[in-house]
Amino acid sequence: MNFPAMNNGRQTPAMETAADSSSSAFSFISKGWREVRDSADADLRLMKDRANSFKNIAASFDREIENLIYSATPTFTVPPIRQSSEIEFMKKLHPKMSEFRRVYSAPEISRKVMEKCGPRANLGIELSRIRSTIAAEVFGTVEEDMKGIIEFNKVRSEKLNEEGQFGEWEPIRVLKTRFREFEKKNSTVEIFAGFKKNEFVEKVKSSLKAICKEPQESKEVPPLDVPELLAVLVRQSGPFLDQFGIRRNLCDKIVENLCSKRKNQLVLRSLVAGEPPAVDPDKISDELDLRIASVLQSTGHCSERGGSWTDFMKPDVTDGKRHVAIVTTASLPWMTGTAVNPLFRAAYLAKSAKQKVTLLVPWLCRSDQELVYPNNLTFGSPEEQENYIRNWLEESVGFKADFRISFYPGKFSRERRSIIPAGDTSQFIPSKNADIAILEEPEHLNWYHHGKRWTDKFNHVVGIVHTNYLEYIKREKNGALQAFFVKHINNLVTRAHCHRVLRLSAATQDMPKSVICNVHGVNPKFLKIGEKVAAERELGQQAFSKGAYFLGKMVWAKGYKELIDLLAKHKNDLNGFKLDVYGNGEDAHEVQSTAKRLDLNLNFQKGRDHADDSLQGYKVFINPSVSDVLCTATAEALAMGKFVVCADHPSNEFFSSFPNCLTYKTPEDFVAKVKEALANEPQPLTPEQRYNLSWEAATKRFIEYSELDRILNNEYSATTIRKSNGKAIARSVSMPTLSEMVDGGIAFAHYCLTGNEFLRLCTGAIPGTRDYGRQHCKDLHLLPPQVESPIYGW
């Protein structure tokens, strides 16, 4: 290398400039290379630390397995069979653990990692080649490292694809296999080392699961979009839009267009299944229901009924039997239809043993008992009256009925001649038993009901209409106006508090959600009397020795007015005809004086049981009443094999199919039917006719027409959506239909009105019946209403 000549030991200015530039360049390159070297050292230290941490994790896992094995060691002598099994298992397990340590804690791992990243570069510097090689040296190394990283990731991806989304380490897979073999081999031994069967294996499995957790799939359900929400709104508003002339098919078209996405999915599903791509609107509606239900379930919504209109605490049926509560407005010893028929219904429903039955009857204070119960019969306690009821029932049906009898406070109204509930009647059925309710006379029970809505507390509510109140009210002063208001009040309260309404005959007013069916039978003792009469006639004996009679409560509305009018008009045509009349009642004196004044051949007797021996000899039962809904006395007379002469009226439609029932349309026809009955002998009942009059047949009809067969058999209800794969999902009723919203509004308005004492008195309620009184608290052992419900609103 040639250097420039020196002049007296001094450098020229050009030489000084060249030396300074060379020194600056070398200093800059050295500084840059030191930074590269320090960065490489830091990266290598980080890789080494990660390798050591991996080795520590492997050692820690080994210690956890060994601690788990040692913790399962028994403190007492293990049976030889089990001990040998454990030793064999551990012999197979320890080589795998050793292999795991050897493979993952060996120093080759660090060396392989170092080799992958390349050896530490030689830091010798050659200044003559620094300019030409610095870029290639640095960028070449980076490019090689990047290629190595890409190749590593590629191999790792292929490995994951072979083993699934999250593969398992080979030693852990082998461990799981050994554990399965160990579990199968020792499954016949019940106890091992003080643990229950397979508890040791389960602990090992749980430890492995804790180490290798697999992520769960996301099960989020997308929310409803705007077209779906609009489709739900249009479909729910169908009844409202119908009032404006928008027909149902147009609403279905709108819903179908809004659910075009769902429609396309159904068409695609049909094409895949090889079916024609026709889409049923009902399928679109079902798919929309499933979509709504899925969204609600994904939000955690699980209440059966919610919102402002319904109750949040509906009971669940956890035991094998359903609970049926029968609520009525009268009780024995008052021998009225609403006292006798619900009692028989409870007995025969309980007889099937498919459901638990509770009969809820009114409890009257002693002062009211003296006004209602016959022969001055009174009871000092509910238990005493319950014994009377059960004894009477057992004598009538011939078997011991297993059901519960409960009492609610009631007061007798002299003006209405009926019992009015006091307080909230629904509270006397415990919430755990509030499953199915049968309201005998639902309109009567709810006229002044100020309490929880029946359909909110019970899963299914059935109302049975017994009495034609409109017919009675029309006979009073200003009866037409009163009947108009009562008719609409009856419709509103039954609509708000019932899911289903049964009318015993068409003689009652037409009510919402109603169907006509006779769900009453006759006392079994009347059928036995009929069988006895048929047997006597077969032997040639005379079964009937007397003529005609009439039996009923002696009030004008029970047919006495019609009877006296017919006999007075045709007194000459029925010359020599004598009629015996049995009954007690408020109008007895007036009825008897009228018959005496018209010189009618009527023989009045005190009221008695229809099965009394003194009544069995009569051949003809006359019942001209048109105020009854379904006359029980008529059914009893037919069951005993007698002739029945009654009016051609909707209340007698069920009986008209019996050959011994003679119906008349005109007064002249009445005379002809009476003469026909007196001149002939009644036909014996066939087995089918006898069965149709029985309570077994009546109970079967009741279960069918009230839809209890579906409820008791736990079939899908109207609030259930059935999926195509056979599964079912509960439809949330957080979205009430327009009809349900109206019913809820009616119930709320009724609750507000009945909560005001002034409005109650204006509509004819008994004072103090919004809550029960002190005497009821004492008799029924109740807390005062101020304590039971300290805050009362309207």
Side-chain angles (χ1 to χ4, degrees):
M1 185 178 292
N2 298 322
F3 294 96
M6 301 181 66
N7 187 14
N8 298 327
R10 292 188 301 167
Q11 295 180 351
T12 64
M15 294 174 59
E16 293 179 358
T17 303
D20 291 340
S21 61
S22 299
S23 175
S24 299
F26 181 78
S27 176
F28 174 76
I29 294 172
S30 299
K31 181 179 179 181
W33 187 253
R34 279 197 305 273
E35 291 178 356
V36 173
R37 183 185 60 185
D38 294 340
S39 176
D41 289 340
D43 292 340
L44 291 174
R45 282 195 300 271
L46 180 60
M47 293 178 185
K48 187 181 295 184
D49 292 340
R50 289 181 178 178
N52 291 333
S53 65
F54 182 80
K55 181 169 63 176
N56 293 336
I57 291 174
S60 175
F61 174 77
D62 189 14
R63 286 194 298 273
E64 288 185 5
I65 295 295
E66 292 178 354
N67 291 336
L68 181 62
I69 295 172
Y70 295 149
S71 64
T73 303
T75 57
F76 55 89
T77 304
V78 181
I81 296 176
R82 192 70 188 193
Q83 199 167 9
S84 61
S85 300
E86 182 194 4
I87 293 172
E88 183 180 355
F89 168 72
M90 295 306 298
K91 285 180 180 179
K92 293 180 180 180
L93 181 62
H94 279 301
K96 298 300 177 182
M97 298 303 301
S98 301
E99 181 182 353
F100 182 86
R101 284 197 304 270
R102 184 176 66 256
V103 172
Y104 290 97
S105 64
E108 285 80 0
I109 292 181
S110 301
R111 184 169 62 254
K112 289 180 180 180
V113 173
M114 297 302 129
E115 290 176 356
K116 187 65 182 176
C117 297
R120 183 169 179 173
N122 186 7
L123 298 181
I125 302 174
E126 297 182 9
L127 297 178
S128 62
R129 298 183 181 180
I130 193 64
R131 185 184 301 274
S132 60
T133 60
I134 185 63
E137 190 72 23
V138 174
F139 292 104
T141 303
V142 172
E143 183 178 0
E144 182 182 355
D145 291 342
M146 290 300 297
K147 288 181 179 179
I149 292 172
I150 293 173
E151 182 181 358
F152 177 75
N153 289 334
K154 182 178 180 181
V155 173
R156 181 176 181 272
S157 300
E158 294 176 355
K159 187 69 175 176
L160 290 177
N161 291 332
E162 292 177 1
E163 299 181 355
Q165 186 177 0
F166 294 95
E168 292 180 332
W169 289 342
E170 180 64 24
I172 293 180
R173 186 184 299 107
V174 173
L175 281 175
K176 288 185 177 181
T177 305
R178 296 299 184 186
F179 282 138
R180 293 193 198 100
E181 294 176 358
F182 177 72
E183 185 177 5
K184 291 179 180 179
K185 183 179 293 185
N186 300 280
S187 59
T188 58
V189 183
E190 292 293 330
I191 305 297
F192 169 58
F195 292 95
K196 293 183 179 179
K197 182 176 68 174
N198 298 331
E199 185 169 350
F200 168 72
V201 178
E202 294 299 330
K203 288 184 67 176
V204 176
K205 285 182 178 180
S206 61
S207 299
L208 291 176
K209 288 179 180 179
I211 296 172
C212 304
K213 285 186 177 179
E214 296 182 358
Q216 298 180 352
E217 292 186 7
S218 175
K219 298 182 179 180
E220 294 183 0
V221 178
L224 295 174
D225 52 22
V226 175
E228 289 174 332
L229 291 174
L230 291 176
V232 174
L233 178 62
V234 172
R235 192 179 62 176
Q236 297 292 344
S237 303
F240 176 75
L241 296 175
D242 187 53
Q243 303 297 325
F244 295 93
I246 302 177
R247 296 183 178 181
R248 174 69 181 274
N249 56 357
L250 181 58
C251 294
D252 293 340
K253 288 290 185 182
I254 297 174
V255 172
E256 183 178 349
N257 292 330
L258 290 172
C259 297
S260 58
K261 183 192 300 184
R262 192 65 52 186
K263 178 180 177 181
N264 295 335
Q265 292 178 359
L266 290 175
V267 172
L268 181 61
R269 193 180 304 170
S270 301
L271 292 175
V272 172
E275 299 176 355
V279 179
D280 187 2
D282 293 336
K283 288 186 178 180
I284 295 179
S285 179
D286 293 341
E287 288 290 331
L288 182 60
D289 290 336
L290 284 172
R291 177 86 174 92
I292 297 169
S294 301
V295 171
L296 289 172
Q297 281 194 344
S298 68
T299 60
H301 178 84
C302 58
S303 65
E304 184 180 357
R305 287 186 180 267
S308 302
W309 313 106
T310 50
D311 187 13
F312 288 94
M313 296 300 294
K314 280 232 174 167
D316 292 329
V317 182
T318 55
D319 55 1
K321 296 184 178 181
R322 306 299 294 263
H323 296 260
V324 179
I326 303 176
V327 188
T328 186
T329 57
S331 176
L332 295 181
W334 189 10
M335 299 299 295
T336 184
T338 53
V340 176
N341 291 313
L343 182 60
F344 282 124
R345 196 182 331 277
Y348 281 88
L349 280 175
K351 185 179 180 181
S352 65
K354 293 182 179 179
Q355 54 275 330
K356 296 180 180 180
V357 180
T358 299
L359 178 64
L360 188 62
V361 298
W363 168 259
L364 299 178
C365 299
R366 187 175 294 273
S367 58
D368 286 338
Q369 292 181 27
E370 295 173 353
L371 297 174
V372 178
Y373 299 152
N375 303 324
N376 296 324
L377 185 62
T378 58
F379 304 97
S381 65
E383 293 77 13
E384 186 178 347
Q385 185 173 2
E386 180 179 352
N387 292 332
Y388 177 90
I389 295 173
R390 292 190 182 277
N391 292 334
W392 183 91
L393 178 64
E394 189 170 351
E395 292 177 0
S396 300
V397 300
F399 62 88
K400 189 173 183 179
D402 183 17
F403 64 94
R404 180 185 175 192
I405 297 179
S406 298
F407 294 85
Y408 68 88
K411 290 187 177 182
F412 180 69
S413 173
R414 294 188 180 186
E415 293 77 13
R416 298 180 183 271
R417 296 172 181 173
S418 58
I419 299 174
I420 303 299
D424 181 10
T425 311
S426 65
Q427 76 180 68
F428 295 93
I429 299 295
S431 296
K432 62 180 181 180
N433 298 335
D435 183 17
I436 300 170
I438 301 172
L439 305 184
E440 311 279 353
E441 294 194 310
E443 71 279 38
H444 184 160
L445 286 169
N446 292 293
W447 279 334
Y448 305 105
H449 175 69
H450 181 69
K452 185 171 291 187
R453 185 183 176 192
W454 293 95
T455 52
D456 287 350
K457 184 169 184 177
F458 291 84
N459 294 318
H460 190 64
V461 181
V462 180
I464 303 177
V465 181
H466 288 248
T467 309
N468 189 359
Y469 287 106
L470 301 184
E471 185 66 29
Y472 294 131
I473 294 173
K474 289 177 181 178
R475 300 170 185 261
E476 300 177 357
K477 185 180 179 180
N478 299 324
L481 181 61
Q482 294 186 54
F484 173 80
F485 287 108
V486 171
K487 176 182 177 180
H488 289 86
I489 292 174
N490 290 346
N491 285 337
L492 292 176
V493 296
T494 53
R495 175 177 179 175
H497 291 280
C498 295
H499 294 115
R500 188 78 164 172
V501 178
L502 300 182
R503 298 160 56 201
L504 298 179
S505 71
T508 62
Q509 69 177 89
D510 189 13
M511 291 185 176
K513 311 174 186 177
S514 66
V515 64
I516 299 174
C517 179
N518 174 23
V519 293
H520 285 177
V522 298
N523 193 323
K525 63 183 179 182
F526 295 105
L527 294 172
K528 293 180 180 179
I529 294 173
E531 294 174 358
K532 177 183 175 182
V533 169
E536 291 176 352
R537 293 182 60 183
E538 288 180 359
L539 296 175
Q541 301 177 4
Q542 184 179 3
F544 303 110
S545 58
K546 300 179 182 180
Y549 74 106
F550 175 66
L551 179 143
K553 186 177 180 181
M554 201 168 291
V555 293
W556 285 113
K558 285 293 186 179
Y560 284 89
K561 183 179 184 300
E562 291 82 2
L563 178 64
I564 290 179
D565 290 344
L566 287 170
L567 294 179
K569 185 175 182 179
H570 298 279
K571 183 168 56 173
N572 296 329
D573 297 334
L574 293 172
N575 189 19
F577 174 70
K578 180 181 178 181
L579 183 67
D580 294 334
V581 179
Y582 295 86
N584 301 319
E586 295 84 353
D587 299 333
H589 177 72
E590 189 176 351
V591 170
Q592 294 176 17
S593 61
T594 302
K596 186 176 181 180
R597 178 171 53 83
L598 295 175
D599 193 22
L600 300 178
N601 195 6
L602 297 178
N603 181 25
F604 291 96
Q605 302 286 340
K606 290 185 177 180
R608 60 194 65 182
D609 188 4
H610 204 173
D612 192 82
D613 294 338
S614 61
L615 301 179
Q616 295 183 17
Y618 288 97
K619 183 171 65 172
V620 182
F621 174 72
I622 296 179
N623 180 21
S625 174
V626 292
S627 62
D628 291 323
V629 173
L630 189 77
C631 184
T632 304
T634 300
E636 294 169 350
L638 289 173
M640 290 188 289
K642 304 177 187 294
F643 273 125
V644 172
V645 178
C646 58
D648 186 6
H649 188 262
S651 61
N652 298 318
E653 183 178 355
F654 177 80
F655 307 124
S656 61
S657 61
F658 291 84
N660 294 335
C661 181
L662 307 177
T663 59
Y664 63 89
K665 296 182 179 180
T666 63
E668 292 75 15
D669 197 15
F670 168 76
V671 175
K673 297 298 182 182
V674 170
K675 291 181 178 181
E676 178 184 350
L678 292 174
N680 298 291
E681 291 295 325
Q683 300 180 17
L685 294 177
T686 64
E688 182 181 359
Q689 293 168 350
R690 190 177 297 110
Y691 174 76
N692 289 336
L693 291 172
S694 67
W695 265 104
E696 287 83 0
T699 304
K700 183 178 179 180
R701 293 192 297 266
F702 169 74
I703 292 176
E704 177 184 356
Y705 280 84
S706 64
E707 300 181 345
L708 279 188
D709 51 351
R710 175 177 57 81
I711 302 298
L712 295 176
N713 293 330
N714 294 318
E715 294 182 4
Y716 297 105
S717 64
T719 57
T720 303
I721 308 168
R722 190 191 296 270
K723 286 187 176 182
S724 59
N725 59 1
K727 296 183 179 179
I729 184 171
R731 184 202 304 270
S732 172
V733 279
S734 305
M735 307 170 299
T737 62
L738 184 62
S739 177
E740 290 174 340
M741 293 180 65
V742 171
D743 294 347
I746 293 172
F748 180 74
H750 179 258
Y751 178 84
C752 294
L753 294 175
T754 56
N756 185 277
E757 188 66 21
F758 176 74
L759 294 178
R760 292 173 66 93
L761 296 178
C762 290
T763 53
I766 301 176
T769 53
R770 194 189 72 171
D771 305 319
Y772 47 83
R774 293 183 180 179
Q775 189 60 42
H776 282 119
C777 293
K778 182 179 179 181
D779 294 343
L780 298 176
H781 307 289
L782 302 174
L783 291 174
Q786 296 79 7
V787 178
E788 188 75 26
S789 301
I791 299 178
Y792 277 88
W794 265 36

